[in-house]
Amino acid sequence: QVQLVESGGGLVQAGGSLRLLCAASGSGFSASAMAWYRQAPGKQRELVASITSGGITNYGESVKGRFTISRDNAKNMVYLQMNNLKPEDTAAYYCWRRSQWGYESWGQGTQVTVSS
């Protein structure tokens, strides 16, 4: 059974940085596409960043140049380095995985709060 566990969220002042981590269990991690999504209260869940099994990355427009997604296949980990955080980045951040067979799974989320 695939399980995703996020960590690294917290409270930070505007302009600060945080690094989110996602630990994935189960087999086939290296062949999986991974991503981070976020959802703020009253808003739809949106894509923050994604990374393919081959390491190709994609970012939401609002985070380009500030956030970096990466993965370590040896450790079954995905990371999201967030720099120059803004109050509008405040949200619950979720790790997402799509296996090579198309099966999708979500983590439980980690809260990021950016104060002005």
Side-chain angles (χ1 to χ4, degrees), residues 74-92:
K75 296 181 179 179
N76 281 19
M77 294 288 294
V78 177
Y79 308 98
L80 184 69
Q81 179 66 43
M82 306 186 293
N83 297 328
N84 190 21
L85 282 160
K86 304 176 181 180
E88 51 264 42
D89 294 318
T90 295

Side-chain angles (χ1 to χ4, degrees), residues 3-4 20 33 47 75 88-89 113:
Q3 189 173 19
L4 301 173
L20 303 186
L47 175 69
K75 296 181 179 179
E88 51 264 42
D89 294 318
T113 302

Side-chain angles (χ1 to χ4, degrees), residues 19-42:
R19 188 190 193 205
L20 303 186
L21 299 84
C22 173
S25 63
S27 61
F29 176 82
S30 61
S32 299
M34 302 296 299
W36 288 94
Y37 285 78
R38 68 185 181 187
Q39 188 167 21

